[in-house]
Amino acid sequence: MQQKLPPGVLKGTTTVGLTGRDFVVLAADRRATSGYFIASKHVWKILEIDSHVAVTIAGTVGDAQQLIDRLKVEAGYYKATNGERISVKSLATLASLILFTYRPILMVQMLIGGLDKEEGPSLYSVDWLGTVTREKFTATGSGSPYAVAMLEQEYREDLSLEDAVKLAIRAVHTALARDPGSGEGVDVATITEEGITFKRT
């Protein structure tokens, strides 16, 4: 279920996530908007939390930066304390609790994707009210209806990594063609056992 932001809060973004047999792909546009003003054309909306997990962000930039910093600190603390990496599910749960506690002050929607030894590849959608769902594929932001429409038609669980990257890029490009809040190209992150690879297309 897609949540709406309060009246008067304008947003613009398209981010996409999808899972495969042994990987997660995240993709996002580069445009940052302030109302109807294009504030930047070079924003990275995919960020690494740890070597096995990354997130996409949509919503208010300052809120997103604060939440990302908190997740990085908690992931580092967990690794130092327990001698192993925090699970993707635990990070999604933590983000959900923070957003729920501070609603509606923090206005962030994110996709959290990564690989765990036990769970394998996983993708979670966390909205600004703290709702968290596990997904095989999904999208966030103002361009998400266009991106999800393509994913619904073309996603398969047996996609190769190369085909999944191409699909994620096409899904974001579809949104760029129709959504004025999204634009300036597509960034992609692939998460595999080897780590996270970023690519600006």
Side-chain angles (χ1 to χ4, degrees):
M1 184 174 71
Q2 201 170 29
Q3 298 287 345
K4 293 182 179 180
L5 291 176
V9 177
L10 300 176
K11 59 176 184 170
T13 285
T14 302
T15 79
V16 165
L18 56 92
T19 61
R21 288 168 296 193
D22 54 2
F23 61 82
V24 175
V25 175
L26 301 174
D29 76 300
R30 297 183 197 135
R31 177 178 291 176
T33 57
S34 178
Y36 297 107
F37 174 70
I38 299 174
S40 176
K41 299 180 180 181
H42 309 287
V43 174
W44 280 96
K45 299 178 183 177
I46 311 172
L47 301 164
E48 181 176 328
I49 299 298
D50 202 345
S51 59
H52 68 300
V53 59
V55 303
T56 70
I57 56 172
T60 306
V61 175
D63 293 350
Q65 290 173 335
Q66 182 186 34
L67 183 55
I68 294 295
D69 288 345
R70 173 73 182 276
L71 295 179
K72 285 182 177 180
V73 168
E74 294 292 346
Y77 178 75
Y78 185 93
K79 185 187 293 185
T81 303
N82 297 282
E84 59 183 16
R85 301 182 305 191
I86 192 170
S87 70
V88 181
K89 182 178 181 180
S90 294
L91 273 177
T93 301
L94 175 59
S96 170
L97 289 170
I98 294 170
L99 287 167
F100 182 83
T101 300
Y102 290 99
R103 62 185 177 148
I105 299 170
L106 294 181
M107 295 187 203
V108 182
Q109 187 173 13
M110 59 174 44
L111 301 179
I112 303 176
L115 265 67
D116 294 318
K117 289 182 180 178
E118 288 144 13
E119 292 283 331
S122 59
L123 174 69
Y124 293 89
S125 175
V126 185
D127 73 16
W128 71 287
L129 292 176
T131 308
V132 57
T133 59
R134 184 169 181 175
E135 308 285 352
K136 292 185 181 298
F137 64 87
T138 192
T140 68
S142 54
S144 60
Y146 310 106
V148 165
M150 172 165 283
L151 294 173
E152 288 278 4
Q153 292 295 318
E154 299 194 25
Y155 173 81
R156 304 189 320 272
E157 292 187 25
D158 63 348
L159 284 170
S160 68
L161 177 57
E162 181 180 0
D163 288 339
V165 168
K166 290 178 180 177
L167 175 56
I169 292 172
R170 285 203 315 275
V172 177
H173 271 298
T174 298
L176 301 191
R178 296 289 180 182
D179 173 44
S182 305
E184 321 311 335
V186 184
D187 296 324
V188 182
T190 57
I191 308 168
T192 66
E193 288 291 344
E194 285 71 45
I196 303 174
T197 302
F198 292 90
K199 179 180 180 182
R200 178 150 274 188
T201 65

